[in-house]
Amino acid sequence: LLRTDRLPHVWCPGCGIGIVLNAFLRAFIRSKMDPNKLVVVSGIGCTGRAAGYVNVDSFHTTHGRGIPFAVGIKFARPDLNVVVFSGDGDLFAIGGNHFVNAARRNHDLLIIAVNNFTYGMTGGQHGPTTPTGAYTTTTPYGNPDRPFNIPHLAISLGAPYVARWTTYHVNQIQNSIYHALHKKGFRVIEIISQCPTVYGRRNDMKTPLEMMHYFQKNSVRKDDASFEELELSYNGKIVVGVFRDVQGIPTYEERYEDIIRRARK
Ligand code: SF4
């Protein structure tokens, strides 16, 4: 499943994106699903490069537009498993409106959102998930914004599967993706990841290994977490888990099919 002809990859040593891509590929192989029925779509940014390393039909699209491309693909070919694999800036800033509307419609897409708190590729600007007080190239004295609470945003829009992990949780990421691949609707998996090159260095997060130790020590699993607990840093802890897993909510594609069927009668 990996495009070995494109190696070595472009990511910096110690970046967390490779861990997530590895977990995704392993989960997909474990699912025994047909690779000819898998499409990986990504936007622009460090995570957006992931689509180029997956040896299936993949689309490296324009900035923030991974979800609209994916919606179109799913509409044209409802038999395909469409996965959007992209980063926090791409999905929640430039693509934020697409995320919100695709979630409320319950499009049948799996969203793998790698959240490293910054625009890594363009030099470390602050973005919609940068923690309050964090140092970036555009917030040299600290970020005054509040970050998105991604799981809560997805849950409030009715997404049927919502989870969060960190790159420390390799097995959990893999299991979560495996289970989400078998479900329907707008499934969202946020993965907190280290960007040692531009974000970690500015925020004194030391080496990639130490950053993963930080995730290990400062994360706690709580599947029934409240809104406050799902904030990025709740009492200094990153709350991880599967926060929503419900079945039977009709997808947009199913509702659309139903409307067309009834209109034709
Ligand atoms: Fe990873 Fe950051 Fe390097 Fe981008 S800039 S590849 S996110 S470490």
Side-chain angles (χ1 to χ4, degrees), residues 11-12 15 17 46 116 120-121 195-198:
W11 295 308
C12 308
C15 177
I17 298 168
C46 293
N116 56 24
M121 180 178 274
C195 166
T197 305
V198 299

Side-chain angles (χ1 to χ4, degrees), residues 8-256:
H9 59 71
V10 295
W11 295 308
C12 308
C15 177
I17 298 168
I19 294 172
V20 185
L21 180 61
N22 184 305
F24 169 67
L25 296 176
R26 285 172 186 271
F28 188 78
I29 290 165
R30 191 175 134 208
S31 77
K32 297 195 168 53
M33 288 175 165
D34 182 357
N36 294 316
K37 293 279 175 83
L38 172 68
V39 179
V40 177
V41 184
S42 58
I44 296 295
C46 293
T47 312
R49 304 298 288 266
Y53 297 110
V54 184
N55 198 14
V56 297
D57 284 334
S58 61
F59 294 82
H60 188 193
T61 69
T62 49
H63 206 181
R65 315 301 170 206
I67 287 177
F69 275 87
V71 165
I73 293 165
K74 189 70 192 179
F75 242 136
R77 289 285 307 275
D79 57 314
L80 299 178
N81 279 313
V82 185
V83 177
V84 178
F85 195 121
S86 218
D88 48 276
D90 187 72
L91 284 169
F92 301 104
I94 303 96
N97 192 29
H98 300 307
F99 180 90
V100 166
N101 286 291
R104 86 177 159 82
R105 290 176 179 145
N106 197 26
H107 279 290
D108 191 17
L109 305 174
L110 169 56
I111 311 293
I112 298 175
V114 178
N115 179 6
N116 56 24
F117 313 131
T118 191
Y119 288 94
M121 180 178 274
T122 47
Q125 295 83 3
H126 88 292
T129 62
T130 306
T132 308
Y135 300 104
T136 69
T137 51
T138 45
T139 56
Y141 302 108
N143 178 28
D145 292 353
R146 287 179 69 201
F148 267 130
N149 179 333
I150 293 172
H152 189 264
L153 177 67
I155 290 168
S156 69
L157 292 161
Y161 185 90
V162 180
R164 176 198 275 152
W165 305 106
T166 77
T167 47
Y168 171 75
H169 299 90
V170 179
N171 288 336
Q172 290 90 336
I173 298 171
Q174 199 191 121
N175 285 337
S176 210
I177 294 174
Y178 174 83
H179 289 298
L181 278 168
H182 292 86
K183 295 177 185 295
K184 278 182 174 290
F186 198 80
R187 294 145 284 162
V188 180
I189 303 176
E190 177 191 18
I191 296 139
I192 309 285
S193 173
Q194 70 273 29
C195 166
T197 305
V198 299
Y199 183 84
R201 205 169 43 191
R202 261 191 199 86
N203 288 280
D204 196 24
M205 294 177 88
K206 305 193 176 72
T207 66
L209 195 60
E210 284 168 300
M211 288 166 76
M212 289 184 72
H213 278 148
Y214 176 87
F215 291 154
Q216 178 194 13
K217 277 194 294 195
N218 294 289
S219 60
V220 58
R221 180 161 187 169
K222 194 167 190 296
D223 295 326
D224 61 347
S226 66
F227 167 70
E228 285 75 19
E229 288 168 323
L230 286 174
E231 295 272 8
L232 249 185
S233 179
Y234 176 74
N235 286 342
K237 293 283 180 196
I238 301 169
V239 175
V240 298
V242 179
F243 309 120
R244 192 157 198 249
D245 185 3
V246 296
Q247 302 202 26
I249 304 173
T251 65
Y252 184 88
E253 290 75 13
E254 288 168 342
R255 294 196 306 273
Y256 188 82

